[in-house]
Amino acid sequence: MKTPHFRVAIIIPALNNPALTSDCLTSIKATTQGHSIAVVVADNGSEADSLHMVKKHLAATFPENGVLLQNPAGTPFGVACTRAGQAVDSDFLFLLNNDTLCEDGWLPPLLAAFDDTPDLGAAGPLLLFPETRTVQHLGVAFHPDMGPEHIYSHVPGTHPLCQVRRPVQAITGAAMLIPRPLFYDMGAFYEGYRNGFEDLELCCRLRQAGRSVRVVPSSTVLHVGGSTEGRFASDIHNGRLLRERCPDCFEPDFHALVTRDGFEVRLTRALDPYPALPCERGEELARRAADKPLSVIMDTLARELFWEEGYHLAISRLEAAGDLSGALGVRYTQSLFMPHAANAAALAGLAARCGHTDLARAVSATCDTLLSRERDTAALTQTARRYADLFAARGDERHAALYRRWLEPATPSAH
């Protein structure tokens, strides 16, 4: 009998958490009517009850185009994806974590991206946190130490920043569309990784082959993130393996991307970089807002998410008016975007005053970690000098000067 051919095969690795997988399957069913798709759930050793629930739901939602593969316990994400993609015949593979919910209209923009961009190797949707609908993934950026970061994490999904088409070196495998032949021509996922970083290496190999990768923000998927047991347990191993296998593939681009979007990079005392409005722009907005109602400041902050002076203005106004709950919300956002130990300490204190003891405890632990890093001045100084030299060697004097200023004792705030 001839094997059915599908436009897209959706590959979903899963380990327990049957409710998440079932919700994911339901969302796919509701958003792909009229599309030629198959769904392959690659179970990686779930408990019997969990496996039974997923098998039953898969049969109910995709009775003719659903496949359940049972892998041995401990099968890594990358291995599961590689095997599952071989179970059906399709033009594309859509690799998808099971803790996701696909939203209406998610598939056509991804497919259209390959028509619009001839050299495209892989595309992913805008990933949002379900409860807040803020950014979980908009592309991967790399810091000077080559540590990866989801750029603009926690920015509202409706913000104009999410619609900017920016060059990125990597996207996440949590939701990735790739031509099926190309996936296997590239060697699929390298099997030495343990649930992480295999997607970064795949993006590296795609780019080395002259292909690009991109996020398509008109496609939206909700993603809880970190739901699989042991998801981050092997990050040290995975990071080391990536550096060994792809030593020259990625370049530090966080600073360049932030600058490209019209912001400047500032540093915390722990050398964490973050976006901020250029000083002149921030100070100008502060002058304009000095005699304006609080509502004007809050509206401006909603547009200018990295207006550092604006957070201080709003918080001081809210606290003066006795609106501690409102101040807490602004403090929380400030701490997400501007990760100073002082901001974390202020948030922890305000959370305690508002009776949010769990939040206060969690933020206090974060603050302690930041302060501990700040106290290691010898290591930080060495790192700042290395980064200054790195940017200078790249001809980026602007960011070389940023790290030199951090080294100056006369500028303790390191802005």
Side-chain angles (χ1 to χ4, degrees), residues 218-239:
S218 53
S219 171
T220 305
V221 171
L222 305 182
H223 183 212
V224 176
S227 300
T228 300
E229 182 179 350
R231 165 62 183 85
F232 303 107
S234 299
D235 276 3
I236 294 176
H237 161 82
N238 293 332

Side-chain angles (χ1 to χ4, degrees), residues 94-97 99-103 106 110 123-130 132-140 150-158 162 171-176 199 215-225:
F94 185 57
L95 313 175
L96 186 65
N97 282 15
D99 57 345
T100 56
L101 297 171
C102 295
E103 300 217 306
W106 67 271
L110 293 178
L126 168 64
L127 296 181
L128 302 178
F129 292 110
T132 61
R133 296 192 68 86
T134 57
V135 170
Q136 191 268 333
H137 177 75
L138 189 57
V140 176
H150 295 292
I151 194 167
Y152 298 132
S153 182
H154 300 293
V155 165
T158 55
C162 296
I171 61 175
T172 180
M176 176 190 288
D199 47 2
V215 169
V216 182
S218 53
S219 171
T220 305
V221 171
L222 305 182
H223 183 212
V224 176

Side-chain angles (χ1 to χ4, degrees), residues 135-209:
V135 170
Q136 191 268 333
H137 177 75
L138 189 57
V140 176
F142 292 85
H143 290 287
D145 65 354
M146 300 316 301
E149 174 184 321
H150 295 292
I151 194 167
Y152 298 132
S153 182
H154 300 293
V155 165
T158 55
H159 195 276
L161 272 175
C162 296
Q163 299 304 315
V164 175
R165 181 171 175 176
R166 60 181 57 81
V168 294
Q169 299 178 84
I171 61 175
T172 180
M176 176 190 288
L177 185 72
I178 183 171
R180 184 177 182 273
L182 180 62
F183 180 66
Y184 290 104
D185 285 347
M186 291 293 103
F189 283 136
Y190 180 67
E191 297 190 357
Y193 293 100
R194 305 169 189 163
N195 300 325
F197 288 56
E198 59 277 292
D199 47 2
L200 298 183
E201 177 171 330
L202 178 61
C203 289
C204 170
R205 282 188 266 124
L206 285 168
R207 290 173 48 251
Q208 288 175 333

Side-chain angles (χ1 to χ4, degrees), residues 75-401:
T75 300
F77 170 86
V79 176
C81 288
T82 299
R83 293 176 182 172
Q86 296 167 334
V88 293
D89 184 26
S90 64
D91 297 322
F92 289 89
L93 299 178
F94 185 57
L95 313 175
L96 186 65
N97 282 15
N98 70 327
D99 57 345
T100 56
L101 297 171
C102 295
E103 300 217 306
D104 286 338
W106 67 271
L107 182 54
L110 293 178
L111 292 171
F114 286 87
D115 295 328
D116 298 339
T117 311
D119 71 347
L120 187 61
L126 168 64
L127 296 181
L128 302 178
F129 292 110
E131 292 185 359
T132 61
R133 296 192 68 86
T134 57
V135 170
Q136 191 268 333
H137 177 75
L138 189 57
V140 176
F142 292 85
H143 290 287
D145 65 354
M146 300 316 301
E149 174 184 321
H150 295 292
I151 194 167
Y152 298 132
S153 182
H154 300 293
V155 165
T158 55
H159 195 276
L161 272 175
C162 296
Q163 299 304 315
V164 175
R165 181 171 175 176
R166 60 181 57 81
V168 294
Q169 299 178 84
I171 61 175
T172 180
M176 176 190 288
L177 185 72
I178 183 171
R180 184 177 182 273
L182 180 62
F183 180 66
Y184 290 104
D185 285 347
M186 291 293 103
F189 283 136
Y190 180 67
E191 297 190 357
Y193 293 100
R194 305 169 189 163
N195 300 325
F197 288 56
E198 59 277 292
D199 47 2
L200 298 183
E201 177 171 330
L202 178 61
C203 289
C204 170
R205 282 188 266 124
L206 285 168
R207 290 173 48 251
Q208 288 175 333
R211 301 282 188 147
S212 62
V213 299
R214 60 176 284 207
V215 169
V216 182
S218 53
S219 171
T220 305
V221 171
L222 305 182
H223 183 212
V224 176
S227 300
T228 300
E229 182 179 350
R231 165 62 183 85
F232 303 107
S234 299
D235 276 3
I236 294 176
H237 161 82
N238 293 332
R240 184 183 304 114
L241 184 60
L242 180 70
R243 289 190 294 273
E244 291 172 355
R245 290 180 53 80
C246 306
D248 302 314
C249 183
F250 299 110
E251 296 184 351
D253 64 351
F254 175 87
H255 295 61
L257 290 173
V258 166
T259 303
R260 182 180 184 272
D261 287 331
F263 307 112
E264 67 179 27
V265 178
R266 294 182 183 172
L267 301 172
T268 70
R269 285 310 307 171
L271 277 185
D272 293 319
Y274 63 92
L277 284 187
C279 283
E280 290 185 3
R281 174 64 175 159
E283 291 169 358
E284 177 190 358
L285 288 176
R287 285 193 298 272
R288 291 181 182 179
D291 58 353
K292 295 294 192 300
L294 174 62
S295 60
V296 173
I297 299 173
M298 297 300 291
D299 287 345
T300 305
L301 270 176
R303 297 190 305 271
E304 304 286 5
L305 299 171
F306 304 117
W307 179 29
E308 195 150 18
E309 299 87 350
Y311 286 99
H312 296 299
L313 279 172
I315 291 165
S316 62
R317 292 275 192 96
L318 288 163
E319 289 186 337
D323 186 357
L324 298 186
S325 179
L328 180 64
V330 178
R331 277 280 186 205
Y332 183 79
T333 303
Q334 178 195 42
S335 295
L336 289 176
F337 294 149
M338 293 140 196
H340 294 278
N343 290 343
L347 175 60
L350 188 53
R353 289 170 64 192
C354 292
H356 296 287
T357 54
D358 288 345
L359 175 61
R361 189 178 302 112
V363 177
S364 291
T366 298
C367 182
D368 290 343
T369 299
L370 292 172
L371 289 172
S372 176
R373 289 173 54 202
E374 287 183 9
R375 284 191 287 268
D376 194 354
T377 55
L380 290 171
T381 298
Q382 183 179 26
T383 299
R385 287 173 178 158
R386 186 169 72 252
Y387 291 173
D389 291 343
L390 181 150
F391 282 111
R394 293 169 59 87
D396 186 348
E397 185 56 35
R398 176 178 185 171
H399 292 116

